[in-house]
Amino acid sequence: ADREKVDEFTKQTYGASLGGPVIKDKVFFFANVELQKDETPAPFDIAEYTSESADRASEADLNSLRDLLISKYNYDPGTFGNTSDELNGVKLFGKLDFNLSKDHKLTLRHQYTKAEQFNRNSGSSRNINFNNNGVFFPTVTNSTALELNSNFNNKMSNNLILGYTTVNDDRDPIGDPFPYVRIDDEAGGRIVFGSERFSTANVLEQKIFTLTNNFKIYKGRHTFTLGTHNEFYNIRKRLRST
């Protein structure tokens, strides 16, 4: 059988970091950036679609359908052949360290993460999926923490961490919004185009505040810890009912 070489799977990550003093022996900084780009091919040969039936929709029929959607509804459903899933990500991290005194150190850090994922449905022997019948999944996370470490006469120490995190997850159509449409082919297959029908209306927003404090007492070979960890959530969720 003839074989077609598909696009290569790629996973690329680039990063860089920089750190150093802001004020000698007093204030220090550190920064890091990371970029990610992944692509996963999903091959599909139109000849595989209900190949045993002469009544199946042909490649010319599918191209005519796409031309009709563009000309009449100003909507491009995308192609119906080989496709790929994509992931594009950015991670940024920054930190400041303060030597307040010999016994007290303060750290302020923040991390920003953004990812955009394209999940596309490829075709099969019973299904023709135009490329826009998938999901665009953007997500953004911001996380900030303030940490204070203190020592008291080498007999006691305290670690206090205040944190605040926001997570925004969204789902959107790939391309312009358009109703989900399924056409049952006479050959027993299905032709699908338009926005993905299940999750494009979903939204999840989270706001999380954390408070952690651990007080330690050193007695000879023993360490006694008195601490607390608290998390406060504010969540907004919107799910499409099925």
Side-chain angles (χ1 to χ4, degrees):
D2 293 334
R3 296 183 178 181
E4 178 186 356
K5 184 178 179 180
V6 300
D7 294 336
E8 294 183 355
F9 169 86
T10 60
K11 184 178 179 66
Q12 301 173 338
T13 303
Y14 307 92
S17 60
L18 180 66
V22 178
I23 301 176
K24 184 178 179 180
D25 298 330
K26 293 292 185 180
V27 183
F28 305 88
F29 81 94
F30 177 80
N32 184 78
V33 59
E34 185 176 300
L35 306 177
Q36 181 179 354
K37 186 175 180 63
D38 299 347
E39 188 169 352
T40 305
F44 173 66
D45 185 356
I46 184 63
E48 299 175 2
Y49 174 63
T50 60
S51 56
E52 73 279 3
S53 174
D55 296 328
R56 69 179 176 89
S58 66
E59 185 172 357
D61 294 331
L62 296 171
N63 284 324
S64 296
L65 174 60
R66 182 187 180 193
D67 293 340
L68 175 66
L69 293 171
I70 294 174
S71 62
K72 187 172 182 178
Y73 300 102
N74 196 30
Y75 173 70
D76 186 352
T79 60
F80 50 82
N82 295 337
T83 186
S84 62
D85 292 339
E86 300 175 37
L87 173 62
N88 299 313
V90 177
K91 296 179 181 179
L92 303 176
F93 176 79
K95 183 176 72 166
L96 288 173
D97 292 307
F98 302 86
N99 290 331
L100 302 180
S101 67
K102 179 181 177 181
D103 297 320
H104 302 282
K105 296 182 179 181
L106 183 69
T107 298
L108 175 64
R109 57 182 178 268
H110 181 81
Q111 179 160 331
Y112 168 84
T113 303
K114 179 180 180 181
E116 294 182 340
Q117 187 169 2
F118 294 84
N119 292 327
R120 298 181 173 93
N121 299 316
S122 60
S124 67
S125 61
R126 291 293 180 181
N127 293 278
I128 292 290
N129 289 303
F130 283 82
N131 278 354
N132 284 358
N133 176 238
V135 177
F136 172 54
F137 185 5
T139 178
V140 176
T141 300
N142 282 281
S143 181
T144 303
L146 183 66
E147 181 175 0
L148 177 63
N149 288 287
S150 302
N151 291 309
F152 305 98
N153 298 324
N154 295 323
K155 295 181 179 180
M156 295 175 289
S157 68
N158 193 76
N159 173 249
L160 171 65
I161 303 176
L162 301 176
Y164 183 68
T165 300
T166 62
V167 182
N168 295 320
D169 294 336
D170 197 3
R171 304 285 180 94
D172 293 305
I174 297 178
D176 296 330
F178 195 84
Y180 171 87
V181 179
R182 190 186 84 182
I183 300 174
D184 292 329
D185 198 343
E186 292 182 0
R190 299 186 300 180
I191 302 170
V192 178
F193 61 86
S195 302
E196 195 269 344
R197 59 177 170 170
F198 290 112
S199 63
T200 52
N202 293 357
V203 170
L204 177 60
E205 298 177 354
Q206 303 178 68
K207 298 178 181 179
I208 307 164
F209 175 76
T210 59
L211 168 62
T212 302
N213 194 81
N214 291 310
F215 182 75
K216 295 183 178 182
I217 302 174
Y218 306 102
K219 291 288 186 179
R221 297 182 178 180
H222 304 285
T223 300
F224 300 93
T225 302
L226 302 175
T228 181
H229 177 74
N230 304 274
E231 297 183 2
F232 304 91
Y233 288 87
N234 185 316
I235 298 176
R236 173 178 175 261
K237 180 187 293 186
R238 184 182 71 200
L239 297 178
R240 179 192 182 278
S241 59
T242 58

